Amino acid sequence: MSTDTEARTGRAARFDPASYEQRWRERWEADELYRAHDGDPREKHYLLTMYPYPSGDLHIGHWYAATGPDIVARMRRMQGLNVMFPMGFDSFGLPAENAAIDRGIHPARWTSANIDRMRQQFRTMGCMFDWSREVVTSDPAYYRWTQWLFLQLYGAGLAYRAMAPVDWCPKDQVVLAREQVEGADRHCWRCGTPVVKRDLEQWFFRITSYADELLDFSGLDWPEPIRLMQTNWIGRSEGAEIDFPVEADGVAPIRVFTTRPDTIFGATFMVLAPEHPAVAVLTTPDRRADVEAYVAAARRETEIERMNTERDKTGVFIGAHAVNPMTQERIPIWIADYVLPGYGTGAIMAVPAHDERDYAFATRFDLPIRYVVLPPDGAAPEGEAFVAHTADEVLVESGEFSGMQAADAIGAITRQLTDLGLGSGAVTYKIRDWLVSRQRYWGAPIPIVYCPEHGAQPVPESELPVLLPPDVDFAPTGVSPLQSNAEFLSASCPVCGAAARRETDTMDTFVDSAWYFLRYCSPHDDDRAWDPAAVREWMPVDLYTGGAEHAVLHLMYARFMTKALRDLGHVAFGEPFVALRNQGQILGADHQRMSKSRGNVVNPDDLTSRYGSDTVRLFLMFIGPWDQGGPWNPTGIEGLHRFLGRVWHAAEADLGDRAPWIQPIVVPGMPPPQSLAGEVPGSGGPSAEEVVATGEEMSRALRRATHTTIAAVAEEYSAFRFNTAIARLMELTNAISGARELGLAGTDAYAEAVDTLLLLLAPAAPHITEELWARRGHPYSIHRQPWPSADPALVEADTLELPVQVDGKLRDRLVVTRDTPAAEIERLALASEHVRRYLGGKPPRRVIQVPGKLINVVTQR
RNA sequence: GCCGGAGUGGCGAAAUGGCAGACGCGGCCGGCUUAAACCCGGCGGCUCCGCGAGGAGCGUGGGGGUUCGAAUCCCUCCUCCGGCACCA
């Protein structure tokens, strides 16, 4: 139409994001629009998105992850909450050190250059981060408090040093936490190299003390899959520990853990982990050679071989026997690598009849198999283990317990063993303590010194931070590069002042991120890790967003740390994140994870310079459900750019000459725009000739579209359904365009529709909405406007279109007024020619009406 | 093997017991234009019948079930993605 031509030829302002996006960002920053202030009387809302590792450049995944919570943050602000939405950098870690090794750039320089670049890139997104609260974990002003935290845990016995077989990455030359070893082939989470076991003296955090509490998610609004992953990782098993006496003088009984004490009468042999301390004591001289060979082989094996469930069971008899405490039977003791040293007691009573692994082992080595728990019909299974699945199984050949149901026998047998002093009920977990020491330079030094006289001693708090010396040798040697700096190494004992050696391991970067959300509350406090008043005001985090890949890493560590700090009296709550939402992952176009080495990383800069930030933000939020992610495919970004062009056009169309009220419009032969179709009483369908609508009716239809959208969008944003929220905004925009075609530009209904559209779109597309808000003469800033509220009276249409089904298949539609009684609707439906055709003259068997939804006529089939 | 999530037009998707395919991309037709791009309007699951208006049947990974009615709930199988994996 004519206005389109004007826009094209430049009489009206053109849609040109480059002309305003940067300008508004500078203004927002200058005005500190997004600063969260302590002590604001409004209700606080702490919204947090996982801070990134400063790897170099922001990629499209960062934009994807950040835009969702930014939309919610902006909406919450408009809804009147005092929003804190901070950002920072998880800046310690291996890549910085690898840059030093590979290219000779000091990690500190590499990191800070990357941070500078990424900070700039973040700014072009127009996210409402409060940069005044930025934390950088490699800054001494931050890691000083990470070290303080270590000392708190150490003082409470929650940090300890122990010799332990640990997972070692031969490529990165560093110890890994159990959570950092992935996949069936047990590879390093960072470089993919298969890990090996090593015995090393390492620092641990006692996360196992919190195993039970970590299983409790009550009161948390977290995605079910994440809760399940943590639950499975913690791996709580209930059962019993039982002592099996051994036939050897002066040797303590061997304690086993089992979840099936009811099967003890079927325990026909015992298996120890090759690493079990009793092996050396119990092995008989004639078996010693075989046993030692097996133990040595097991130690040499990589985790891959050992954990391979496919391969045949291996093991050797050690020559000794134990006694089954219930049957008094002599049973042989074997060692086998399918028994793991770190779980339970590292020893099992083998019940081949009722455990698949034991069954495979017994079959392989010809050991006796005795079924003692049978299904109710007594049918003994053949050629396989019978693992109980229901409560109905009954015990046989189990002495006084024979005939008892298995579920009851578990308790009864455990009680008797307890009474006899041979065992007790016990709970075991898969989760291991958190290994936090790393033989690396670029991390927070562990604040411990070793005195020849007094052993490991904590560095006094007054001497924190233990600073990283800039001058070290970065070549990976398996020991921390800090050992190459003599000055760093030498310390004095805090107890006696004698010359002491400084701990040279640094902390896992997940320690840094286990408390950063607390630091955001008072990021500039130099006297303490956080200001208790600020933490009281802001914590806990109301809504946390990030990737699901941190389910058993960061998210569990942060929960542990918070609980430990609570028990130490430093915070008053035990859960850091009340609600959690996970974004999906944006994969490369090749459906693989984006990585520099694959060369499939998408840089958003090209897109933003071409389309502007708003278009990129909208596109990312529109491609699908936010928690789903998917492979990168920029096809369709044009559509979002066009959408913003239509918004621009819609908002410009009623500027200038404000048209007076438009008189009733009759457009013969012109079908109504889709937004108005079906809204016209009596139209009964899209027959163009009949369309006659008054201006009043059309503006009411537009207002209905406006208020319906208000009601929908807040709900969609809150639920992180940005794709459908944007679709609703597109529909409103289309309705506005349709209204403009019919001459409604300049009316109050039109202005209301456009202003509402801008307000609802503002969280998702902050720049264009600010620009148009200003052009329309409204006061700065749109981001400080109250969120619109829907008028329920305007949402309700006075006519309804009801689908009429016959036997569940759509056959006709009825247009009725909202207050039409059900009997009348039924009469109209049955009178329908289409319905009558299917009834074939007979009365319907049933008529089902869902008020306001549909009507279904059931025939006498 | 175990535990999650998913499978819908040419494509991204929407609909979580009530009109399948909203919204967008691509495509086709038309308008604007000397022309093209931009922009605007229209069409749009498949098959069949009809010149047409229209009508009939089929259709949400496969098969079965519950229901007046199923993409949605139940059973079963297949495929893909994520997590765990000899945890006694």
Side-chain angles (χ1 to χ4, degrees):
Chain A
M1 297 284 138
S2 63
T3 43
D4 298 320
T5 317
E6 281 160 18
R8 274 204 309 278
T9 52
R11 296 239 303 275
R14 279 177 49 242
F15 167 48
D16 177 18
S19 70
Y20 57 80
E21 286 202 345
Q22 177 68 23
R23 174 163 47 82
W24 284 119
R25 284 196 295 267
E26 283 166 10
R27 171 114 191 240
W28 296 331
E29 210 151 306
D31 295 347
E32 299 181 350
L33 196 64
Y34 305 137
R35 276 284 264 282
H37 295 284
D38 297 345
D40 190 299
R42 294 172 301 170
E43 187 186 337
K44 71 96 179 177
H45 190 74
Y46 187 175
L47 213 159
L48 184 64
T49 187
M50 292 179 188
Y51 63 174
Y53 178 79
S55 53
D57 280 295
L58 283 196
H59 59 74
I60 205 75
H62 292 112
W63 276 62
Y64 187 74
T67 304
D70 184 58
I71 290 172
V72 176
R74 287 173 177 280
M75 177 179 69
R76 295 293 180 227
R77 170 182 292 272
M78 291 171 81
Q79 288 171 335
L81 298 176
N82 181 29
V83 173
M84 172 157 86
F85 186 48
M87 182 44 76
F89 293 94
D90 185 18
S91 53
F92 270 138
L94 269 182
E97 204 159 332
N98 288 339
I101 296 162
D102 298 341
R103 285 174 283 160
I105 307 168
H106 195 276
R109 250 193 55 211
W110 185 85
T111 302
S112 87
N114 285 353
I115 289 176
D116 288 344
R117 190 158 64 251
M118 289 172 79
R119 209 185 271 131
Q120 267 330 106
Q121 291 172 320
F122 262 129
R123 284 187 153 91
T124 68
M125 295 175 58
C127 280
M128 56 169 283
F129 295 128
D130 180 354
W131 286 103
S132 74
R133 291 176 182 266
E134 181 191 66
V135 304
V136 175
T137 58
S138 59
D139 186 336
Y142 182 88
Y143 71 71
R144 169 184 185 176
W145 302 112
T146 307
Q147 293 172 335
W148 174 84
L149 218 77
F150 181 96
L151 294 180
Q152 302 311 303
L153 297 187
Y154 181 79
L158 290 170
Y160 66 95
R161 192 160 178 263
M163 179 69 87
V166 296
D167 293 305
W168 172 265
C169 174
K171 177 160 181 290
D172 290 337
Q173 296 271 312
V174 69
V175 160
L176 299 171
R178 215 167 93 94
E179 290 82 358
Q180 293 167 337
V181 179
E182 298 179 339
D185 65 343
R186 311 283 297 160
H187 62 259
C188 169
W189 71 307
R190 195 174 276 288
C191 69
T193 310
V195 301
V196 295
K197 282 282 184 202
R198 271 202 171 184
D199 283 325
L200 288 173
E201 191 97 24
Q202 299 287 318
W203 286 96
F204 294 87
F205 285 170
R206 216 177 283 282
I207 194 171
T208 50
S209 300
Y210 289 87
D212 268 322
E213 208 193 331
L214 287 168
L215 287 169
D216 179 10
F217 294 93
S218 52
L220 295 188
D221 174 15
W222 280 35
E224 181 69 19
I226 301 288
R227 302 204 309 246
L228 269 168
M229 273 192 257
Q230 291 201 358
T231 301
N232 292 339
W233 186 262
I234 293 163
R236 182 189 152 100
S237 289
E238 281 184 36
E241 287 188 356
I242 304 171
D243 287 335
F244 279 59
V246 290
E247 292 183 336
D249 290 339
V251 179
I254 292 176
R255 176 163 293 192
V256 303
F257 173 75
T258 178
T259 53
R260 295 290 307 279
D262 54 317
T263 64
I264 189 168
F265 286 84
T268 51
F269 58 103
M270 169 180 271
V271 187
L272 309 182
E275 296 85 350
H276 196 285
V279 174
V281 188
L282 290 174
T283 303
T284 53
D286 60 313
R287 300 295 305 144
R288 189 161 299 279
D290 280 358
V291 168
E292 281 175 359
Y294 186 83
V295 171
R299 287 195 67 81
R300 265 201 313 277
E301 278 177 332
T302 64
E303 286 282 309
I304 321 165
E305 291 157 347
R306 179 151 183 180
M307 305 292 261
N308 181 0
T309 55
E310 304 291 299
R311 81 175 180 163
D312 285 341
K313 294 276 181 290
T314 62
V316 295
F317 176 48
I318 67 169
H321 287 80
V323 176
N324 182 326
M326 292 311 258
T327 63
Q328 303 305 323
E329 237 176 332
R330 279 181 94 222
I331 59 173
I333 303 175
W334 288 62
I335 58 173
D337 60 9
Y338 80 90
V339 175
L340 306 174
Y343 182 78
T345 60
I348 61 161
M349 63 174 204
V351 186
H354 304 294
D355 182 282
E356 284 167 19
R357 295 149 304 185
D358 297 345
Y359 185 89
F361 194 82
T363 313
R364 172 98 165 70
F365 295 105
D366 251 340
L367 292 157
I369 298 170
R370 189 190 313 136
Y371 291 85
V372 295
V373 179
L374 294 177
D377 62 5
E382 272 176 51
E384 60 177 348
F386 175 64
V387 181
H389 291 297
T390 68
D392 296 338
E393 285 82 19
V394 176
L395 270 62
V396 297
E397 295 183 47
S398 297
E400 61 182 286
F401 301 99
S402 296
M404 194 178 264
Q405 293 213 326
D408 303 328
I410 290 176
I413 291 176
T414 303
R415 262 193 306 280
Q416 182 164 114
L417 287 164
T418 308
D419 293 344
L420 295 170
L422 291 169
S424 61
V427 174
T428 304
Y429 303 87
K430 289 189 209 172
I431 191 172
R432 297 279 89 88
D433 275 335
W434 174 14
L435 195 161
V436 295
S437 42
R438 296 291 180 276
Q439 296 68 52
R440 281 291 171 169
Y441 167 76
W442 196 233
I446 291 173
I448 292 286
V449 298
Y450 298 99
C451 171
E453 181 75 14
H454 299 97
Q457 288 295 329
V459 172
E461 283 181 25
S462 59
E463 290 176 26
L464 297 183
V466 176
L467 285 170
L468 279 172
D471 184 24
V472 300
D473 178 8
F474 290 107
T477 58
V479 296
S480 173
L482 288 171
Q483 292 204 4
S484 67
N485 184 303
E487 198 184 329
F488 177 84
L489 209 51
S490 80
S492 56
C493 171
V495 180
C496 64
R501 181 177 57 84
R502 198 176 286 286
E503 169 66 65
T504 56
D505 283 359
T506 53
M507 277 182 259
D508 183 2
T509 56
F510 281 107
V511 181
D512 308 331
S513 55
W515 73 282
Y516 79 115
F517 42 89
L518 295 168
R519 186 65 181 170
Y520 278 137
C521 298
S522 54
H524 308 295
D525 197 320
D526 288 334
D527 302 323
R528 51 207 164 167
W530 56 82
D531 172 357
V535 163
R536 218 168 18 250
E537 178 175 352
W538 290 106
M539 285 296 291
V541 173
D542 296 279
L543 179 57
Y544 195 34
T545 72
E549 68 272 18
H550 288 112
V552 294
L553 291 159
H554 163 62
L555 287 171
M556 213 174 53
Y557 295 148
R559 292 181 69 211
F560 155 70
M561 189 64 80
T562 303
K563 290 174 192 305
L565 289 170
R566 175 206 55 201
D567 289 348
L568 295 173
H570 293 300
V571 298
F573 46 88
E575 288 288 350
F577 316 125
V578 174
L580 175 72
R581 295 291 177 270
N582 295 119
Q583 80 269 6
Q585 207 166 58
I586 296 294
L587 304 170
D590 54 1
H591 292 59
Q592 302 289 310
R593 278 186 67 157
M594 281 192 196
S595 76
K596 279 182 186 166
S597 55
R598 285 201 191 89
N600 60 356
V601 175
V602 176
N603 185 317
D605 294 353
D606 310 337
L607 294 171
T608 48
S609 56
R610 189 135 143 227
Y611 299 105
S613 298
D614 285 339
T615 296
V616 177
R617 288 169 57 106
L618 283 178
F619 174 63
L620 288 170
M621 294 302 101
F622 187 67
I623 51 180
W626 188 71
D627 57 0
Q628 190 176 295
W632 173 249
N633 177 4
T635 311
I637 192 167
E638 295 279 354
L640 279 298
H641 198 62
R642 278 200 281 267
F643 163 58
L644 289 182
R646 285 197 296 274
V647 171
W648 182 275
H649 189 177
E652 289 277 286
D654 69 336
L655 297 181
D657 305 328
R658 285 257 173 186
W661 175 254
I662 302 288
Q663 288 309 301
I665 307 278
V666 179
V667 191
M670 182 176 167
Q674 218 162 19
S675 56
L676 299 179
E679 303 286 4
V680 185
S683 72
S687 168
E689 286 73 23
E690 294 175 32
V691 172
V692 176
T694 63
E696 198 180 334
E697 282 162 350
M698 288 190 301
S699 76
R700 216 170 58 230
L702 180 58
R703 296 202 71 192
R704 181 151 57 242
T706 302
H707 284 260
T708 308
T709 308
I710 294 173
V713 169
E715 203 180 313
E716 306 268 28
Y717 280 163
S718 303
F720 282 70
R721 289 192 299 257
F722 307 111
N723 56 332
T724 48
I726 293 166
R728 303 306 287 263
L729 293 170
M730 286 173 167
E731 286 181 84
L732 178 57
T733 306
N734 293 344
I736 293 172
S737 299
R740 189 180 62 243
E741 295 293 316
L742 295 174
L744 258 65
T747 63
D748 290 346
Y750 188 90
E752 180 196 42
V754 170
D755 288 340
T756 303
L757 171 67
L758 295 180
L759 289 165
L760 297 178
L761 182 60
H767 307 87
I768 187 177
T769 49
E770 186 79 287
E771 174 71 11
L772 288 171
W773 190 253
R775 296 179 71 84
R776 291 175 66 77
H778 296 310
Y780 173 84
S781 155
I782 192 171
H783 303 298
R784 282 181 170 148
Q785 301 306 311
W787 189 253
S789 59
D791 180 347
L794 287 168
V795 170
E796 285 221 331
D798 13 272
T799 61
L800 288 172
E801 196 193 49
L802 288 180
V804 180
Q805 296 182 335
V806 177
D807 293 331
K809 287 191 165 53
L810 178 69
R811 297 302 179 188
D812 200 2
R813 294 161 196 281
L814 285 179
V815 176
V816 296
T817 56
R818 184 163 279 284
D819 52 7
T820 311
E824 173 66 4
I825 291 174
E826 180 168 332
R827 196 190 62 77
L828 287 168
L830 293 175
S832 157
E833 176 197 336
H834 296 284
V835 173
R836 284 213 311 259
R837 180 149 26 109
Y838 289 92
L839 280 170
K842 284 181 263 180
R845 193 158 65 93
R846 248 174 105 182
V847 177
I848 288 159
Q849 267 202 58
V850 184
K853 275 281 189 188
L854 59 42
I855 175 161
N856 188 16
V857 178
V858 185
T859 64
Q860 305 187 6
R861 284 174 293 183

